């Protein structure tokens, strides 16, 4: 956890028991509360909850950290998004209660089911134990992506998310919005990287028209945010970058080279080929997949991760964080830069189907 | 001051020490915190190896970066500290021929990758 305990405030377990007892109207007992490795903008803990006459429940608490990354949701909005996703049939731990102000003024927390499994990408992609799981993941992830597409500003007008982008004559334009965001990120960096500017220029010149429909986009859907067990997908995790947008964005982010953990032949997160994923999406009702649109978002995804990697280094240099891996990540920027330029040089896939000749599986 | 051993030699020896002696000792620990520590020992060894390589290749790489910028911008006397900024400005203004610029910058990236990402294969087939 990023913030040290405040000696003046009661222990978190006591506060949680009080908040949950008030919420549920019965005395709640919190057991085995322990921190989980946190991210930059949320803090997580595992806990068990005992209620009178009910079996003990395994849960996870996600709370607002003191700082937040640009573009990331605070916990109250995240809770609303996960509720909507769960209700639509997305495979994700069931969200239970939002506890406003639990961690201090303006720092909310929410509680979900705790699920078991493996989230380490390298193991999911390579370990023999997950061979059967890998064969099922395309279909299972596609089912959840199709469910995400059923959540839209029309079905969930009260979700606390900003608009998908500037409104044009053909509707909101998420690509224009994403370009503005990534350009701001690059402009804030102290050292210019000319190769990233070339990528920006290509993206500007090839921006797709607004998508046929706007839906809920997970925003960080990749191997590493998938909980997997021997039977396949257990849950999609980490909703802090969820937003209204183009469903092609999630498809592309899932295929970004770095999340394949070396299995470059399996574009979909290192566990399925591109053709397998696209077919699964179409069968699940999340199609048709537009490969040209996905290619554009994949170039953008690599650019975004390139800029993001440089930001991780800035977090160390500013004194905000001291983990030495934050020094190694920005030195990998060449990998994402290379992949973005390689995709640019290769160009978008032919609409007549370069994939058609490739056998699925 | 003596330069025997020279700096890259010391850095590489430290990297080997971390990989071959510290890491197995941490791996053998039953402390639950050891997996995070094992990862960081590996990161530390990697960083030392990269720094050692950059020490040796750095000056030549910087010169090659500058030569590339001078050629692309057609400015033979461009100063080193101006190169990246001027390239960015030219790309934004659309005054560079993009295919050769991309090719030249990818060539420069190849050298960077060889040092900083030795397991990354730029010529791999990516589907």
């Amino acid at each position: 956890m990023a913030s040290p305990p405040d000696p003046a405030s009661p222990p978190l377990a006591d506060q949680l028991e009080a908040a949950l007892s008030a919420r549920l109207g019965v005395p709640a007992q919190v057991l085995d509360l322990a921190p989980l490795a946190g991210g930059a903008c949320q803090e997580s803990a595992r806990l068990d909850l005992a209620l009178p006459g009910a079996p003990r429940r395994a849960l996870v608490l996600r709370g607002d950290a003191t700082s937040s990354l640009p573009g990331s949701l605070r916990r109250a909005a995240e809770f609303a998004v996960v509720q909507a996703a769960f209700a639509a049939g997305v495979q994700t731990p069931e969200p239970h209660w939002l506890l406003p102000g639990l961690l201090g003024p303006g720092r909310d927390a929410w509680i979900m089911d705790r699920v078991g499994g493996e989230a380490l990408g390298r193991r999911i992609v390579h370990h023999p134990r997950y061979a059967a799981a890998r064969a099922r993941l395309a279909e299972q992830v596609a089912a959840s992506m199709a469910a995400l597409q059923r959540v839209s500003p029309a079905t969930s007008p009260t979700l606390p998310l900003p608009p998908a982008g500037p409104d044009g004559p053909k509707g909101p334009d998420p690509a224009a919005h994403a370009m503005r965001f990534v350009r701001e990120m690059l402009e804030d960096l102290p050292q210019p990287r000319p190769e990233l500017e070339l990528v920006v220029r290509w993206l500007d010149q090839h921006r797709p028209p607004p998508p046929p429909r706007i839906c809920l986009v997970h925003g960080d859907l990749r191997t590493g945010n998938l909980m997997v067990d021997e039977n396949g997908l257990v849950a999609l995790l980490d909703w802090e970058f969820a937003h209204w947008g183009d469903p092609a964005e999630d498809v592309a982010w899932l295929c970004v080279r770095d999340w394949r953990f070396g299995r470059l032949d399996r574009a979909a997160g290192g566990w399925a080929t591109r053709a397998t994923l696209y077919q699964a999406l179409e069968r699940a009702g999340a199609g048709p997949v537009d490969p040209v649109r996905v290619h554009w978002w994949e170039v953008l995804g690599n650019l975004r991760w390139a800029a993001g990697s440089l930001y991780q280094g800035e977090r160390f240099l500013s004194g905000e964080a001291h983990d030495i891996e934050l020094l190694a990540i920005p030195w990998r920027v060449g990998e994402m830069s290379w992949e973005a330029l390689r995709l640019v040089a290769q160009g978008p896939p032919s609409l007549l189907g370069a994939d058609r000749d490739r056998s699925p599986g | 001051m003596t330069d025997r051993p020279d700096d890259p030699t010391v850095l590489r020896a430290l990297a080997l020490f971390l990989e071959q002696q510290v890491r197995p000792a941490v791996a053998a620990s039953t402390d639950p915190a050891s997996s995070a520590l094992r990862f960081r020992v590996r990161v530390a060894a990697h960083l030392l190896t990269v720094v050692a390589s950059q020490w040796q290749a750095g000056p030549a790489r910087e010169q090659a970066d500058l030569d590339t910028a001078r050629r692309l911008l057609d400015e033979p006397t461009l100063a080193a500290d101006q190169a990246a900024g001027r390239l960015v400005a030219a790309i934004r203004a659309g005054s560079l021929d993009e295919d050769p610029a991309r090719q030249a910058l990818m060539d420069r990236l190849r050298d960077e990758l060889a040092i900083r990402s030795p397991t990354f294969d730029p010529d791999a087939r990516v589907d």
Side-chain angles (χ1 to χ4, degrees):
Chain A
M1 299 262 238
S3 48
D6 178 355
S9 65
L12 182 59
D14 292 355
Q15 288 175 299
L16 253 176
E17 285 187 346
L20 286 169
S21 299
R23 166 65 62 91
L24 303 172
V26 290
Q29 203 185 353
V30 169
L31 304 157
D32 298 341
L33 180 70
L36 294 167
C41 29
Q42 36 69 31
E43 300 188 9
S44 305
R46 50 177 286 152
L47 65 127
D48 281 7
L49 176 66
L51 298 174
R56 201 165 146 155
R57 297 169 75 169
L59 301 170
V60 168
L61 172 98
R62 264 168 86 84
D64 280 324
T66 43
S67 66
S68 63
L69 283 176
S72 75
L73 298 176
R74 300 290 284 173
R75 298 289 76 73
E78 183 182 68
F79 178 71
V81 163
V82 177
Q83 277 188 310
F86 185 82
V90 176
Q91 215 169 327
T92 196
E94 182 172 4
H96 293 296
W97 311 287
L98 176 68
L99 303 170
L102 180 80
L103 303 177
R107 291 180 60 203
D108 305 335
W110 62 278
I111 290 179
M112 66 180 125
D113 277 345
R114 186 166 79 239
V115 294
E118 179 61 75
L120 272 182
R122 188 162 294 284
R123 257 182 238 160
I124 291 169
V125 169
H126 292 285
H127 201 290
R129 185 189 305 152
Y130 302 111
R134 286 191 288 272
R136 292 189 192 126
L137 272 173
E139 198 177 337
Q140 294 167 328
V141 172
S144 278
M145 293 171 87
L148 267 175
Q149 289 194 24
R150 295 195 285 271
V151 184
S152 72
T155 66
S156 307
T158 59
L159 269 193
L161 295 174
D167 231 343
K170 290 181 183 165
D173 189 345
H177 186 67
M179 285 307 295
R180 195 178 302 164
F181 187 81
V182 77
R183 201 177 284 120
E184 276 170 20
M185 269 182 98
L186 289 172
E187 273 164 13
D188 285 344
L189 286 167
Q191 250 181 10
R193 297 270 308 186
E195 58 277 15
L196 297 183
E197 291 298 326
L198 271 184
V199 179
V200 169
R201 191 164 167 81
W202 182 90
L203 285 164
D204 265 335
Q205 289 169 338
H206 295 81
R207 220 170 72 204
R213 55 189 163 161
I214 297 288
C215 70
L216 188 58
V217 170
H218 179 283
D220 200 8
L221 184 59
R222 60 181 166 88
T223 304
N225 281 336
L226 304 176
M227 185 70 89
V228 169
D229 68 12
E230 287 82 350
N231 298 313
L233 181 66
V234 176
L236 268 54
L237 305 174
D238 281 347
W239 292 83
E240 66 195 76
F241 296 106
H243 55 273
W244 295 131
D246 181 343
E249 182 185 344
D250 271 343
V251 179
W253 189 244
L254 190 58
C255 294
V256 163
R257 176 175 180 162
D258 204 33
W259 322 136
R260 303 185 197 176
F261 296 92
R263 284 304 304 253
L264 302 180
D265 55 328
R266 297 186 192 147
W271 33 261
T273 65
R274 199 179 284 275
T276 302
L277 176 70
Y278 289 8
Q279 287 160 11
L281 284 166
E282 292 182 7
R283 272 199 307 275
V289 177
D290 176 347
V292 174
R293 202 177 268 279
V294 173
H295 174 263
W296 188 89
W297 282 103
E298 200 169 324
V299 174
L300 180 86
N302 277 284
L303 175 66
R304 208 183 250 172
W305 179 206
S309 73
L310 297 172
Y311 261 93
Q312 296 293 332
E314 294 303 319
R315 287 178 59 211
F316 187 101
L317 297 170
S318 72
E320 178 204 320
H322 306 284
D323 306 321
I324 59 167
E325 58 268 32
L326 297 178
L327 296 173
I329 294 170
W331 276 1
R332 294 186 52 224
V333 66
E335 301 176 24
M336 288 69 90
S337 308
W338 176 274
E339 177 62 6
L341 288 174
R342 189 194 67 78
L343 284 166
V344 164
Q346 175 186 285
S350 154
L351 279 174
L352 294 174
D355 275 350
R356 193 181 289 167
D357 301 330
R358 222 172 282 159
S359 60
Chain B
M1 233 168 62
T2 172
D3 58 0
R4 286 184 64 78
D6 65 6
D7 296 344
T9 303
V10 171
L11 294 169
R12 289 212 166 87
L14 288 173
L16 274 181
F17 165 70
L18 289 174
E19 274 286 355
Q20 295 180 351
Q21 295 181 50
V22 178
R23 202 171 148 215
V26 174
S29 160
T30 52
D31 184 336
S34 75
S35 81
L37 188 58
R38 194 167 69 224
F39 168 68
R40 294 212 168 106
V41 167
R42 234 185 130 177
V43 170
H46 167 71
L47 286 170
L48 287 167
T49 307
V50 172
V51 172
S53 302
Q54 289 184 162
W55 214 292
Q56 288 165 320
R61 258 191 63 201
E62 277 167 33
Q63 186 60 48
D65 280 347
L66 181 58
D67 290 345
T68 298
R70 284 174 169 170
R71 184 166 51 79
L72 289 174
L73 295 164
D74 196 19
E75 290 187 45
T77 57
L78 184 70
D81 60 348
Q82 307 267 304
R86 291 292 302 282
L87 270 180
V88 166
I91 292 164
R92 283 188 187 163
S95 58
L96 278 194
D97 202 349
E98 278 164 42
D99 286 347
R102 189 181 61 242
Q103 198 50 60
L105 293 177
M106 286 180 88
D107 287 345
R108 302 302 317 123
L109 275 177
R110 243 177 217 287
D111 293 349
E112 178 177 326
L113 289 166
I115 291 171
R116 292 187 171 176
S117 303
T119 60
F120 183 94
D121 177 6
D123 298 312
R125 184 199 153 123
V126 187
D127 284 343

